[in-house]
Amino acid sequence: MTRTIFCNGKFVPESEAVVSVLDRGFLFADAVYEVTSVLEGKLIDFNRHMARLRRSLAEIELTFPVSDEQLLDIHRELLKRNEVRQGLVYLQVSRGVAERDFVMSNVEPTLVVFTQKKDLLGNSKNASGYRIVTVPDLRWGRRDIKTVQLLYPSMAKMIAVKAGADDAWLVEDGFVTEGSSNNAYIVEQSGDIVTRNLSNSILAGITRQAVLEYAKEAGIKIVERPFTVAEAKNAAEAFATAASLFVVPVVEIDGDPIGNGKPGPVAQRLRDLYLEECRKRAF
Ligand code: PMP
């Protein structure tokens, strides 16, 4: 079955989903994106993703005329046409096609939306846990904007893969910022959960927002502050969150086991809590 993609205002077969080489997304990484997960054919945290998309667009001053309702229709139509029950929907808005120039002109934005079928729940790493290596955070200073400038995160991921690990945690001034494409957490010996506070240094993860909300409702204490690599290595547990991962335990950092080197109970509890709550709200 050939995949249907939404491109340039139309649903087209993958082979016809093409964008000009002059698109500013291609030439300048002048584009923002969202990835929404799908369980049982329903969109998870869709409204939160659209709210973050609007914020990213505003931060780069990109005027985008398509409404959230229209975007929801496009997402649903793609899920239907591509028969996706579990997986991801990727959405990208770039500034559009313009003569190459550092000055941004007011052109028509390019919207691309496609689906990826994925066994998100069957990901075996959720049972065995992630092994992490730490690398310097060499990204730009506006990591709060979800732009397609993903070269360094991709390089960091490759450093991890070449080292036989699953992902990289990025480190700045001795403190963990976040994972290559996820938010990072530790569970202190006291049981408190620590995750870096929001700022320009990290992306405000949608899964982070939802997990923290559900955890607080369940009476679990969360402390939002930066933590060091040494603190992480001495923590009772560690874990990461992202739309494509939900909550995934971290069992090793730079070769040192975290806790007893096995996925911890707090990470497991938060994963169960998140999956239960996000499914209730899915549509
Ligand atoms: N941080 C970074 C740098 C990311 O790329 C991502 C995933 N896109 C996240 C955090 C997690 O965000 P979300 O929970 O919205 O997937």
Side-chain angles (χ1 to χ4, degrees):
M1 187 175 106
T2 167
R3 180 164 51 167
T4 296
I5 290 180
F6 186 87
C7 183
N8 297 322
K10 291 196 290 276
F11 293 95
V12 293
E14 188 174 324
S15 58
E16 291 170 33
V18 289
V19 175
S20 165
V21 294
L22 292 177
D23 193 279
R24 286 186 55 94
F26 181 62
L27 296 177
F28 290 93
D30 187 355
V32 295
Y33 76 108
E34 282 298 327
V35 178
T36 304
S37 57
V38 178
L39 291 176
E40 290 110 33
K42 291 183 185 163
L43 295 157
I44 304 295
D45 293 330
F46 180 79
N47 290 336
R48 294 183 201 256
H49 282 285
M50 292 309 106
R52 185 174 62 187
L53 173 69
R54 299 292 160 191
R55 181 184 180 278
S56 294
L57 288 166
E59 289 300 310
I60 66 166
E61 296 180 17
L62 200 168
T63 310
F64 179 58
V66 184
S67 70
D68 285 3
E69 291 70 32
Q70 289 169 300
L71 292 176
L72 177 60
D73 288 345
I74 293 167
H75 277 61
R76 286 191 168 148
E77 186 63 24
L78 285 176
L79 293 181
K80 199 164 89 191
R81 291 196 192 203
N82 295 318
E83 297 173 8
V84 182
R85 301 295 300 162
Q86 196 175 137
L88 303 169
V89 184
Y90 177 93
L91 172 157
Q92 177 174 321
V93 182
S94 74
R95 199 168 307 269
V97 179
E99 191 49 53
R100 186 179 183 280
D101 194 325
F102 282 79
V103 175
M104 295 170 177
S105 50
N106 225 348
V107 288
E108 200 187 324
T110 304
L111 169 64
V112 171
V113 190
F114 61 83
T115 55
Q116 290 181 300
K117 281 186 182 171
K118 264 194 181 159
D119 181 13
L120 302 176
L121 293 173
N123 178 354
S124 63
K125 288 290 166 196
N126 297 328
S128 58
Y130 263 25
R131 292 159 66 214
I132 299 294
V133 293
T134 59
V135 301
D137 194 339
L138 302 178
R139 298 173 300 165
W140 78 322
R142 288 303 306 275
R143 303 157 193 161
D144 57 311
I145 312 173
K146 195 165 170 64
T147 77
V148 301
Q149 285 188 67
L150 296 175
L151 180 55
Y152 187 70
S154 186
M155 288 169 74
K157 185 81 176 179
M158 288 314 294
I159 292 170
V161 169
K162 283 181 190 156
D166 301 297
D167 195 24
W169 276 12
L170 310 174
V171 179
E172 190 170 58
D173 301 328
F175 293 92
V176 174
T177 51
E178 56 189 330
S180 68
S181 57
N182 47 72
N183 290 110
Y185 307 73
I186 57 172
V187 182
E188 290 183 313
Q189 300 296 344
S190 65
D192 290 356
I193 294 168
V194 180
T195 192
R196 194 178 176 109
N197 51 295
L198 298 182
S199 70
N200 291 353
S201 302
I202 64 168
L203 182 74
I206 295 305
T207 321
R208 176 189 184 281
Q209 186 187 92
V211 165
L212 293 195
E213 194 178 299
Y214 307 148
K216 279 175 195 162
E217 279 166 19
I220 300 169
K221 189 166 171 217
I222 317 272
V223 184
E224 293 182 64
R225 64 160 176 85
F227 60 86
T228 64
V229 175
E231 274 183 279
K233 288 184 177 180
N234 290 318
E237 290 183 39
F239 62 94
T241 65
S244 58
L245 301 174
F246 311 121
V247 178
V248 64
V250 165
V251 294
E252 187 186 295
I253 298 176
D254 293 335
D256 292 342
I258 306 304
N260 62 6
K262 301 221 166 61
V266 176
Q268 187 57 50
R269 181 172 172 213
L270 286 176
R271 180 178 174 82
D272 294 344
L273 186 64
Y274 175 71
L275 283 172
E276 189 188 321
E277 293 298 326
C278 78
R279 277 173 158 135
K280 275 193 217 157
R281 293 161 171 83
F283 54 82

